[in-house]
Amino acid sequence: MNAPLPRLNLERLPHLRDHLPALPWKEPGIGIVHLGLGNFHRAHQAMYTEDAMLAAGGDWGICGVSLRRADTRDALAPQDFLYSVLVRDTDGERVRVARALRGILVAPEEPQAVLAAMRDPKVRIVSLTVTEKGYCLDPKTGGLDFSHPLIARDLKDPDHPQSVPGYLVAALRTRREHPFTVLSCDNLAHNGVALRRAVVDYARALDPALGAWIDSEVAFPSTMVDRIVPATSEADRKAAAAALGCADAWPVPSESFRQWVIEDNFPAGRPAWEQAGALLVSDVTPYEVGKLRMLNGCHSTLAYLALLADIDTVDAAIANADLRALLHRMMTDDIAPTLTVPATFDRLSYRDQLLTRLANPALKHRCIQIAMDGSQKLPPRLLGTVSDRLRDGYAVHRLALAVAAWMRFLGGRSERGTALELNDPMADHLRALVSQGEDGLVERLLGVREIFPPALAADLRFVASVRSAFAALAKDGALATARRYATR
Ligand code: CS2
């Protein structure tokens, strides 16, 4: 039997020079608390921050906060919070050891330590990747969802919060002299504006003066984040061990492409992210909307259709000529024309680059991962494009096909009968609607106000398009329907 490999940790770094940039590194103090420590943050913002520190210094070490589970902390604490990023493209793999993450707290176990970290005046940014549902917004009003169980709970006991707005407000109220900047890094349109609304609504309900102070004094810059970062598999752990010669309990696989567009509004300072390739701008809206509609809209479309056709990964899906043709047409004719983009932005090159990224065979990005939380993802990714096209009098049949594929996915079975797991905050409600049978299902689902705005659900062109796509999927299957819709 082989002896067990030593663990990745600070002591091993001198043996890992091939996996580290050549620039000198100084152990940084903590300057950022990040809520929602998932693979995406570890491969995206953490790497930009590390590169910014390598280029320009500064104490911008990251204290990650897991809001639910202890597994990331348990995996990374024994390795001094170091981990590897497995950067994979068609031309091979590069393994880089990441060092910007300097601690992890697990909120349910040590909530007061999380608040203490956020209250530390040396922390100048609290950033977030908590997914759409972590914002606790009411899609019907755009404001905070006061009926959300965590919000209702936190408003009764604000010193012991559990929700994201609850944590932010409990920390901000002690930082009146030196508030931190709140940086949303989730895939939501106008993510900073949405987060400001959630936090200010929550604070106002506790104390109107506190709400007014946050609204006027705390910065909530919006950002567009982009890097395809799948979940970690056993094969990834083996690949990390083979490359490093030591064991990494939680490496992160990722493509090499990365993009970060940030609204430059950081009154308390920020890392020199521009030296790491981020774009600092005064308005991120065109970038965020473009990326959400093109990349994420296509991701969701592809995921639901592919799962119905028993295709598991994004690269396998895009290797299917029918699905690829559908996405190409959808981006070219349906989505790109709705975008308002800077003059320097070439929509068709962006489309081609996306198709190449999706085809990356080394990533094995699972469609079921993208399919989760459809109730939260459909509106920002697809429904805005639908509304814009209807307003301008254009057909929406291909976008309706994406919505219909999600509806069929809710049925829980692929065309060959494979079980499809539904992971969604609205799962119980959606399952109840599906269990009433296929008759009238399209109408029942379009009636879910948390997802479909009333004007859209009442638009007969949209309803007819979804109904006919839903029927076509049932009759001809996902691939044949995709083929037909690609040329229609
Ligand atoms: C994906 C995104 O899981 C999903 O829903 O669409 O995580 C996507 O990979 C990233 O937004 C890419 O930047």
Side-chain angles (χ1 to χ4, degrees):
M1 234 173 78
N2 295 336
L5 285 176
R7 195 72 174 264
L8 172 64
N9 60 25
L10 287 173
E11 275 176 23
R12 293 211 59 84
L13 283 182
H15 307 288
L16 295 170
R17 291 198 201 288
D18 287 352
H19 303 286
L20 293 166
L23 294 164
W25 174 254
K26 176 182 145 298
E27 183 70 13
I30 303 281
I32 298 176
V33 170
H34 182 80
L35 307 182
L37 182 68
N39 272 13
F40 183 76
H41 173 76
R42 293 202 285 141
H44 188 273
Q45 300 103 57
M47 299 315 291
Y48 273 99
T49 303
E50 180 159 325
D51 288 345
M53 286 191 280
L54 282 166
D59 281 321
W60 296 105
I62 300 168
C63 172
V65 176
S66 294
L67 291 167
R68 286 193 299 267
R69 292 190 307 264
D71 47 5
T72 312
R73 193 244 355 241
D74 294 348
L76 299 190
Q79 47 193 63
D80 300 323
F81 309 104
L82 302 178
Y83 59 91
S84 52
V85 181
L86 315 173
V87 182
R88 291 180 180 148
D89 283 315
T90 26
D91 57 359
E93 178 179 82
R94 281 174 295 117
V95 179
R96 169 154 172 200
V97 175
R99 293 169 292 185
L101 182 66
R102 297 318 307 127
I104 302 181
L105 297 170
V106 180
E109 283 180 21
E110 41 195 345
Q112 293 308 313
V114 173
L115 285 176
M118 296 168 78
R119 287 171 177 158
D120 182 338
K122 291 194 283 302
V123 165
R124 283 154 291 160
I125 296 174
V126 173
S127 57
L128 297 83
T129 45
V130 295
T131 80
E132 299 83 344
K133 56 185 181 264
Y135 290 66
C136 307
L137 287 165
D138 178 350
K140 286 176 272 185
T141 62
L144 188 69
D145 179 1
F146 286 98
S147 69
H148 193 293
L150 285 185
I151 297 297
R153 194 212 147 275
D154 284 3
L155 285 172
K156 287 201 206 102
D157 185 13
D159 294 335
H160 302 96
Q162 291 182 7
S163 70
V164 168
Y167 268 108
L168 288 168
V169 171
L172 278 169
R173 69 185 315 162
T174 67
R175 303 236 357 210
R176 298 255 183 154
E177 297 299 313
H178 302 289
F180 50 76
T181 297
V182 188
L183 181 64
S184 166
C185 298
D186 280 296
N187 282 320
L188 264 74
H190 317 295
N191 51 13
V193 178
L195 183 57
R196 171 191 293 278
R197 183 78 196 272
V199 171
V200 169
D201 281 1
Y202 176 91
R204 280 221 168 91
L206 284 179
D207 167 2
L210 177 64
W213 173 77
I214 292 179
D215 202 15
S216 68
E217 299 305 321
V218 179
F220 290 82
S222 286
T223 61
M224 181 273 252
V225 292
D226 191 6
R227 190 167 205 185
I228 295 178
V229 185
T232 305
S233 68
E234 265 323 300
D236 297 328
R237 291 192 175 86
K238 290 204 179 99
L244 301 174
C246 59
D248 177 358
W250 211 330
V252 187
S254 162
E255 63 178 341
S256 63
F257 179 93
R258 67 182 195 185
Q259 197 177 14
W260 198 8
V261 187
I262 310 168
E263 183 185 331
D264 201 359
N265 179 15
F266 293 83
R270 61 165 172 78
W273 284 315
E274 72 284 1
Q275 296 201 38
L279 193 59
L280 278 295
V281 298
S282 57
D283 180 14
V284 301
T285 312
Y287 300 94
E288 342 178 73
V289 175
K291 186 258 173 175
L292 270 168
R293 290 188 178 188
M294 292 280 269
L295 189 159
N296 299 109
C298 285
H299 243 173
S300 292
T301 304
L302 196 64
Y304 295 123
L305 287 165
L307 287 168
L308 291 175
D310 285 279
I311 300 175
D312 284 341
T313 61
V314 173
D315 63 302
I318 208 80
N320 176 283
D322 299 326
L323 293 174
R324 186 187 172 92
L326 179 80
L327 284 202
H328 188 277
R329 183 81 193 274
M330 202 163 137
M331 283 198 264
T332 316
D333 288 355
D334 303 334
I335 306 176
T338 69
L339 305 178
T340 313
V341 289
T344 49
F345 182 90
D346 178 347
R347 298 160 217 245
L348 299 186
S349 317
Y350 186 62
R351 172 201 66 194
D352 293 342
Q353 184 188 41
L354 282 182
L355 286 168
T356 306
R357 290 172 62 199
L358 298 182
N360 185 339
L363 280 182
K364 299 289 168 255
H365 195 189
R366 301 199 59 220
C367 294
I368 200 76
Q369 188 187 344
I370 299 168
M372 71 184 279
D373 289 352
S375 67
Q376 318 290 304
K377 290 177 176 175
L378 250 46
R381 295 176 176 210
L382 288 161
L383 301 184
T385 314
V386 174
S387 299
D388 283 3
R389 286 185 64 80
L390 291 170
R391 181 200 58 211
D392 297 338
Y394 294 117
V396 293
H397 54 293
R398 273 181 291 272
L399 298 156
L401 174 60
V403 174
W406 166 73
M407 291 177 170
R408 294 210 76 81
F409 163 82
L410 297 178
R413 296 262 160 213
S414 75
E415 289 160 8
R416 279 197 230 139
T418 313
L420 299 173
E421 187 198 352
L422 177 60
N423 191 337
D424 192 300
M426 294 191 73
D428 290 344
H429 182 55
L430 296 170
R431 261 193 223 107
L433 295 177
V434 170
S435 70
Q436 294 167 39
E438 279 201 11
D439 266 4
L441 178 58
V442 167
E443 289 72 12
R444 285 197 300 282
L445 288 169
L446 290 177
V448 179
R449 286 285 161 274
E450 287 83 355
I451 306 175
F452 298 98
L456 189 58
D459 191 302
L460 297 180
R461 295 165 297 172
F462 179 56
V463 178
S465 300
V466 178
R467 221 188 261 142
S468 85
F470 188 83
L473 287 171
K475 183 167 156 289
D476 302 325
L479 299 182
T481 307
R483 183 180 325 139
R484 193 152 56 80
Y485 274 60
T487 52
R488 228 180 91 193

